[in-house]
Amino acid sequence: MLIFVLQTLAEILAGGTSLTSTEQIDFSHPGNRREEGAGPTLNLYIFDIRESKQVQHSGRQVERKLTRALQPATVNWAPAWFDVSLLLTAWDRTALGEHHFISEALAVLLRHRTLEEEFLVPELRGYGNLNMTVALEPPIEIGSLWSALNVPLRSALYLTVTIPFEPQPTPVPLVWERIFNLRNQLSRDSDSLVLTRRVAIAGIVKSAVTNLPLVAAEVAVRGTDKSISTTKEGLFFFEDLHLGNYVLTLNHPGYLPQNVNALVDNQSNTFKEIFLTPE
């Protein structure tokens, strides 16, 4: 986006001043003066970029295509708006010549307090007119700015253009990360067991009588081919499930079968604790 801002301003300045082409507009450090005899030149230099306080856009749009391939969703973020500050200086054989080009540039830029969409390069279109301020106090103190540039103070214009930055779409998998901190209830002094899994449904199966984890309990997701046995800690995990409501079917020798509802969504932090009753 920064290149397109420079390109837009260069085309406006070249077309509205006595410069003959955009080749006479330079974008390098303002201390890097062109060779003698290169002719009059305007210099546009970006010196500051910060998020705009005037234009605030936030939010996201989720596009999810549910197919049998279980493709991830795509999150399209709203554009973030930034104030891009530029320094405009002129080079010529004489100081009067430089002042002349600065005056011409000021006159043409004042006619474009708002960069109308038809003057923008194609890559910046689609967001409406862009705000621009001319000759206001820069976001950095003037003396500090020139000192940081290591260039003697000279005549200049300070521009700020507010432009959008379009974040890249973010793929979101069907499963997300859950971190469970489980403590062995057989011993108060035992260390916690921390498990990190990318799961859609998770839980622990216990005996309703002893309150102890049940090992090798069969847990199945009704309507799918997914089935798993609980670990020695009584834990189970299921991955790669669409959003929606599910029914878990649980079986263990010596215990009554049980059905449990489970919800899979992007907001749920539910960890199922299931108790089976002995026969």
Side-chain angles (χ1 to χ4, degrees), residues 13-249:
L13 290 167
T17 65
S18 55
L19 297 179
T20 57
S21 74
T22 56
E23 296 295 325
Q24 292 176 275
I25 299 178
D26 187 59
F27 308 112
S28 61
H29 189 280
N32 297 336
R33 183 170 182 173
R34 287 189 175 183
E35 299 84 2
E36 294 293 336
T41 303
L42 286 178
N43 179 269
L44 270 174
Y45 181 72
I46 296 176
F47 67 87
D48 188 77
I49 305 169
R50 61 186 67 193
E51 191 167 5
S52 175
K53 295 181 180 179
Q54 302 298 323
V55 184
Q56 293 290 335
H57 284 247
S58 61
R60 63 180 182 175
Q61 180 179 0
V62 180
E63 296 180 0
R64 184 181 294 277
K65 297 180 180 179
L66 293 179
T67 66
R68 292 185 178 180
L70 294 176
Q71 296 178 349
T74 299
V75 177
N76 294 315
W77 297 92
W81 292 79
F82 286 81
D83 291 334
V84 179
S85 298
L86 305 99
L87 183 68
L88 176 62
T89 55
W91 290 109
D92 198 13
R93 291 174 295 178
T94 65
L96 288 178
E98 293 175 358
H99 294 159
H100 170 73
F101 282 109
I102 289 290
S103 298
E104 283 190 335
L106 178 59
V108 69
L109 291 174
L110 287 177
R111 298 201 302 267
H112 295 272
R113 292 296 189 106
T114 297
L115 294 178
E116 298 180 1
E117 194 161 10
E118 57 264 31
F119 290 100
L120 302 175
V121 296
E123 291 81 1
L124 287 177
R125 294 175 184 172
Y127 303 95
N129 300 337
L130 301 183
N131 295 330
M132 181 174 68
T133 60
V134 181
L136 292 181
E137 184 176 352
I140 301 175
E141 194 272 326
I142 293 178
S144 299
L145 172 61
W146 287 96
S147 177
L149 293 172
N150 197 26
V151 176
L153 182 64
R154 56 200 310 267
S155 298
L157 295 178
Y158 305 96
L159 316 177
T160 299
V161 182
T162 303
I163 65 171
F165 276 78
E166 194 86 41
Q168 293 294 324
T170 304
V172 179
L174 290 174
V175 296
W176 54 94
E177 187 174 84
R178 295 282 188 259
I179 299 177
F180 306 103
N181 193 323
L182 306 176
R183 181 176 295 277
N184 188 342
Q185 297 184 6
L186 292 175
S187 174
R188 293 183 179 180
D189 299 328
S190 63
D191 295 332
S192 296
L193 173 64
V194 178
L195 300 177
T196 302
R197 298 288 180 89
R198 294 176 60 81
V199 300
I201 299 176
I204 185 170
V205 181
K206 297 181 179 180
S207 169
V209 176
T210 64
N211 200 37
L212 297 178
L214 292 177
V215 181
E218 292 295 325
V219 185
V221 181
R222 182 184 294 176
T224 73
D225 59 354
K226 293 184 178 296
S227 177
I228 195 172
S229 296
T230 56
T231 66
K232 62 181 180 180
E233 295 86 13
L235 299 172
F236 66 91
F237 304 92
F238 289 106
E239 301 176 349
D240 297 331
L241 291 172
H242 293 299
L243 303 184
N245 291 294
Y246 292 88
V247 176
L248 305 181
T249 301

